Amino acid sequence: MLWEKLGQIWAPSGDVSWAQSHAQLPIVQVVAPDRWWVYVSTRDTAGKSRIGRVVLDVGELATSDQVRVCHFEPEPVLSLGEPGTFDDSGVMPAWLMQVGDSIWLYYIGWNVIATVPYRLAIGLAVSIDGGATFRRRDVGPIIDRSRREPFFATAPCVLRDGNAWRMWYVSCTGWQQVHQRWEPAYHVKYAESNDGIDWTVLGHSCVEPKPGYAIGRPCVFRRGNGFAMLYSDRSITDYRSDRNCSYRLGYAESTDGLHWERMDHRVGIEKSTEGWDSEMIEYCWLQQHRDATYLLYNGNGFGLTGFGLARLSSQT
């Protein structure tokens, strides 16, 4: 693959109290032929995150590479959970699906705990009005810590495959103390469901990181008769301060969705030499528009500089 970068699209201006910084984990809902709703996770001054929505006009993408930001909605799509629940400190978008007449938003919920910095789990919110409003399906998560997931589960990617529902998600394998700070290690694992709500965690590891690295945010798509995956890859140490250790995108392929071969040399996009995505690139989403494939992704500061866009120029 080879991607042509089209530049930074949007970052919060700080005009909204609950969206002072960041635009993490962009995911797209197409609401008209040339209009996207882009769901992102923003942060307030206390670092708590809510899901907001940016409205984009992409009508000129095919002719001039221009994207017009129409507006950022003043109220969050999904706010903090009730005190004591799995998402009382923050929510972040992960995956969006049309299910019959409803839209399902799989999201990341997190809260602060006393030992390590945070705990993550997977939640589900549902819209019955075309995405205008979302409500939590349940107060609790659909996947949380368990016997098979003792640390955390997060960042799901969900596809329908016939009557089966398939999920690739990030599984924490443990925490280690680095420079007086607890840091998580994780990789991509797999789960299955008959209804998209009750999931069986199989414990199968799909993409293993190299020693001393962590793999996050899978984005799985069909390619030919099999599957392909883009993901975020970083070192466990110094990834906040050293661009050589920070997030970059990786790539893998599979014939069955379970057994994957890493082909990072084929990812086709790297950090820029300067600017908003020169220190890291991560948390991507693929979107078709007319006859082209686009990549939404975050740059420096885990989304502090907002999200940008790239277009696939070659699949080889």
Side-chain angles (χ1 to χ4, degrees):
M1 294 188 297
L2 185 62
W3 298 92
E4 174 193 4
K5 291 184 178 181
L6 304 182
Q8 181 192 36
I9 301 300
W10 185 85
S13 63
D15 294 337
V16 179
S17 62
W18 55 271
Q20 291 292 295
S21 69
H22 291 75
Q24 289 179 273
L25 292 150
I27 66 175
V28 174
Q29 178 186 350
V30 178
V31 293
D34 291 325
R35 180 152 295 202
W36 295 353
W37 285 352
V38 181
Y39 297 77
V40 293
S41 173
T42 65
R43 298 186 193 181
D44 62 19
T45 54
K48 294 186 176 183
S49 57
R50 295 162 180 83
I51 297 175
R53 187 158 55 200
V54 185
V55 181
L56 300 183
D57 183 337
V58 294
E60 296 184 22
L61 264 181
T63 56
S64 66
D65 297 340
Q66 296 297 309
V67 175
R68 184 170 67 89
V69 178
C70 300
H71 66 274
F72 176 64
E73 297 185 1
E75 298 297 328
V77 173
L78 198 67
S79 194
L80 307 181
E82 299 176 19
T85 58
F86 78 103
D87 53 359
D88 65 0
S89 297
V91 291
M92 311 172 78
W95 208 257
L96 201 67
M97 296 186 69
Q98 183 83 39
V99 183
D101 294 331
S102 301
I103 297 171
W104 289 17
L105 173 62
Y106 291 91
Y107 71 94
I108 303 161
W110 65 275
N111 50 26
V112 177
I113 55 179
T115 50
V116 295
Y118 53 81
R119 170 184 174 180
L120 302 171
I122 299 171
L124 175 62
V126 177
S127 173
I128 59 173
D129 55 11
T133 60
F134 283 86
R135 296 186 64 181
R136 289 168 171 80
R137 188 190 182 279
D138 300 288
V139 176
I142 60 170
I143 298 182
D144 199 356
R145 294 190 303 188
S146 64
R147 180 172 59 87
R148 285 189 167 176
E149 290 295 344
F151 298 103
F152 66 65
T154 186
C157 163
V158 180
L159 297 182
R160 300 283 297 272
D161 194 4
N163 293 324
W165 294 67
R166 311 183 73 179
M167 176 190 289
W168 297 264
Y169 68 96
V170 174
S171 168
C172 180
T173 58
W175 294 79
Q176 57 183 277
Q177 203 162 24
V178 180
H179 305 317
Q180 288 75 56
R181 180 173 183 150
W182 286 101
E183 300 285 8
Y186 38 73
H187 61 166
V188 176
K189 290 175 70 175
Y190 178 78
E192 290 183 344
S193 174
N194 293 322
D195 59 9
I197 299 165
D198 296 309
W199 291 87
T200 300
V201 174
L202 301 183
H204 177 80
S205 177
C206 292
V207 183
E208 287 281 353
K210 298 174 184 176
Y213 277 74
I215 291 179
R217 183 50 171 133
C219 179
V220 176
F221 54 100
R222 291 178 174 86
R223 180 163 186 173
N225 295 323
F227 300 88
M229 181 193 301
L230 291 162
Y231 48 82
S232 305
D233 183 33
R234 66 160 175 82
S235 170
I236 295 174
T237 62
D238 300 319
Y239 63 93
R240 291 182 177 86
S241 57
D242 185 344
R243 74 183 302 272
N244 295 315
C245 299
S246 64
Y247 272 125
R248 68 183 64 238
L249 295 183
Y251 176 77
E253 292 185 354
S254 171
T255 58
D256 59 6
L258 289 172
H259 305 90
W260 294 80
E261 180 182 358
R262 290 188 64 168
M263 303 177 179
D264 291 346
H265 63 284
R266 294 189 57 192
V267 70
I269 187 170
E270 297 292 341
K271 303 166 193 176
S272 298
T273 56
E274 59 183 11
W276 77 280
D277 62 349
S278 59
E279 298 170 7
M280 59 179 72
I281 53 174
E282 73 280 359
Y283 310 148
C284 66
W285 171 273
L286 281 179
Q287 186 61 48
Q288 294 294 128
H289 177 60
R290 298 186 181 178
D291 296 326
T293 302
Y294 293 89
L295 185 77
L296 289 83
Y297 67 99
N298 287 129
N300 304 345
F302 313 97
L304 178 63
T305 56
F307 69 87
L309 193 65
R311 180 172 52 218
L312 185 65
S313 58
S314 173
Q315 296 194 35
T316 57

